[in-house]
Amino acid sequence: MKALVLSGGAGTRLRPITHTSAKQLVPVANKPVLFYGLESIADAGITDVGMIVGDTAEEIENAVGDGSKFGLRITYIPQERPLGLAHAVLIARDWLGDDDFVMYLGDNFIVGGITGLVDEFRRHRPDAQILLTHVADPRSFGVAELDASGQVIGLEEKPERPKSDLALVGVYLFTPAIHDAVRAVKPSWRGELEITHAIQHLIDFRADVRCTVIHGYWKDTGNVVDMLEVNRSVLEGIERRIDGEVDEASETIGRVVIEEGARISNSRIVGPAVIGAGTVVGDSYVGPFTSVAENCRITDSELEFSIVLRDSSIDGVRRIESSLIGRHVEVTPAPSVPSAHRFVLGDHSKVQIHT
């Protein structure tokens, strides 16, 4: 069995971060979200991975390499433009051959991994197996309709009037039957070859399409809110580890990780939180659910429920929360502006001013 990992796409919902960085490499608890998926694939006993790459191919390849650090063999498959998930299967046809495969969206995060799902697929080997989860607003997802017995009878991509609240999670398992299906579908109104249409083609031709409804934690990390939520979820599972320097005037509370080479002085770090290697925190407060990457500088500031990417500095800022701060960013207070009022008042006016 092989894995096809999708690591192209523009990441428009994470701009401006993704103007200069691949969305799959934005870190969660100081590790790129893509790496969690690759580790899940390796844990499931899959070693051969085809990785679909686009405009950020060089950055992805530099980060992932040949896959050996994950116990994987990576083959990079270029995609000129992001033309849909079914298009990714189409261009990977030669590499996939006649093997079964799992397709994994590189910016998705599933707590607990995919080992159970892969094992179930191997036992029963349906033509396709999809993951579903209940969501509050299914209009932003592919949506499944089930019959009374729980069988998949229909799929729609981002419907205006969803027939259920069951959204497709970004992990799919297929036999070679999917290849005929992706060749049969036409571009959608979005100009893309939709994997939902290809799976619907299988359903229409009475192929064996099964689903698993998951109730655990899943996130598509395509926007800032979800990225911060995934960061929170991962940090909840960390163990306390202090490898860097913490002076006597500082306090670390709870599950705090201070990486080797980091220095904490006259500061308070409240976990769960991670401070990356080479980062300096002085005269500051870093609160729960915060990840600060390597070689940052936090001075005379307060930071909570946020992600700070590498080589950034925050100096003299009273409070930052629920924020995603990119690489090589400088955050400082704005210059003070003298307080003044300017009026043009008519006769017999009455003015009240809060001072």
Side-chain angles (χ1 to χ4, degrees):
M1 192 170 185
K2 293 178 177 177
L4 186 65
V5 177
L6 276 60
S7 297
T12 54
R13 291 177 294 159
L14 273 176
R15 288 176 178 166
I17 299 293
T18 50
H19 279 309
T20 53
S21 178
K23 63 178 179 177
Q24 298 84 6
L25 296 181
V26 175
V28 169
N30 285 3
K31 181 165 68 176
V33 68
L34 173 62
F35 288 11
Y36 292 96
L38 294 176
E39 290 168 355
S40 293
I41 288 166
D43 289 343
I46 299 170
T47 56
D48 287 324
V49 176
M51 189 166 293
I52 303 292
V53 290
D55 291 342
T56 59
E58 183 177 359
E59 187 181 11
I60 295 287
E61 291 182 33
N62 287 340
V64 176
D66 63 2
S68 57
K69 62 185 174 184
F70 304 99
L72 302 171
R73 293 187 295 269
I74 304 287
T75 299
Y76 292 98
I77 303 169
Q79 185 183 37
E80 291 184 7
R81 288 188 296 144
L83 295 174
L85 305 189
H87 181 260
V89 176
L90 199 63
I91 64 173
R93 178 67 176 95
D94 289 343
W95 179 81
L96 289 167
D98 292 325
D99 292 311
D100 297 345
F101 66 99
V102 55
M103 183 167 72
Y104 196 113
L105 274 58
D107 59 352
N108 275 226
F109 184 89
I110 301 175
V111 170
I114 61 170
T115 300
L117 176 71
V118 171
D119 289 345
E120 180 183 355
F121 179 82
R122 283 171 165 152
R123 281 195 302 270
H124 302 288
R125 202 168 176 264
D127 295 302
Q129 187 163 344
I130 58 176
L131 261 68
L132 304 173
T133 193
H134 295 280
V135 296
D137 184 4
R139 291 175 299 175
S140 299
F141 302 94
V143 176
E145 181 184 5
L146 309 184
D147 64 15
S149 66
Q151 183 70 29
V152 184
I153 58 175
L155 296 172
E156 294 181 283
E157 186 65 33
K158 297 180 174 62
E160 276 295 316
R161 295 179 177 83
K163 295 178 180 178
S164 80
D165 66 347
L166 288 169
L168 276 78
V169 174
V171 178
Y172 310 78
L173 294 109
F174 297 115
T175 68
I178 193 64
H179 296 302
D180 288 337
V182 297
R183 285 196 299 268
V185 299
K186 304 298 182 184
S188 67
W189 62 270
R190 301 193 302 163
E192 297 186 2
L193 296 177
E194 310 286 1
I195 198 66
T196 47
H197 293 176
I199 300 171
Q200 184 66 53
H201 180 86
L202 291 175
I203 295 170
D204 293 341
F205 282 82
R206 301 187 182 278
D208 185 6
V209 176
R210 303 186 186 185
C211 68
T212 300
V213 179
I214 64 171
H215 300 281
Y217 191 84
W218 163 77
K219 282 289 184 183
D220 168 4
T221 61
N223 62 57
V224 173
V225 172
D226 286 343
M227 184 68 71
L228 292 173
E229 276 298 312
V230 170
N231 190 63
R232 177 195 60 77
S233 177
V234 174
L235 288 177
E236 284 181 337
I238 66 172
E239 299 294 331
R240 181 180 173 87
R241 177 167 51 85
I242 309 296
D243 293 334
E245 300 176 19
V246 180
D247 72 4
E248 294 182 356
S250 297
E251 184 179 21
T252 60
I253 300 172
R255 296 183 305 250
V256 173
V257 173
I258 310 294
E259 298 286 0
E260 186 175 356
R263 291 183 288 123
I264 314 298
S265 63
N266 195 35
S267 297
R268 190 167 186 253
I269 315 295
V270 179
V274 176
I275 308 298
T279 287
V280 176
V281 180
D283 304 305
S284 296
Y285 165 78
V286 177
F289 309 120
T290 300
S291 299
V292 182
E294 65 272 21
N295 300 320
C296 293
R297 181 174 293 273
I298 314 294
T299 308
D300 191 25
S301 299
E302 297 181 6
L303 182 64
E304 189 169 288
F305 192 58
S306 294
I307 299 173
V308 182
L309 276 58
R310 62 178 174 83
D311 300 305
S312 291
S313 66
I314 301 171
D315 185 5
V317 180
R318 181 166 169 265
R319 184 77 173 179
I320 293 175
E321 61 183 27
S322 304
S323 298
L324 174 57
I325 296 172
R327 300 175 297 182
H328 300 279
V329 170
E330 295 181 7
V331 183
T332 58
S336 59
V337 178
S339 178
H341 304 285
R342 183 180 180 184
F343 303 106
V344 177
L345 302 174
D347 296 346
H348 309 292
S349 296
K350 292 183 179 180
V351 178
Q352 291 183 326
I353 300 173
H354 290 285
T355 60

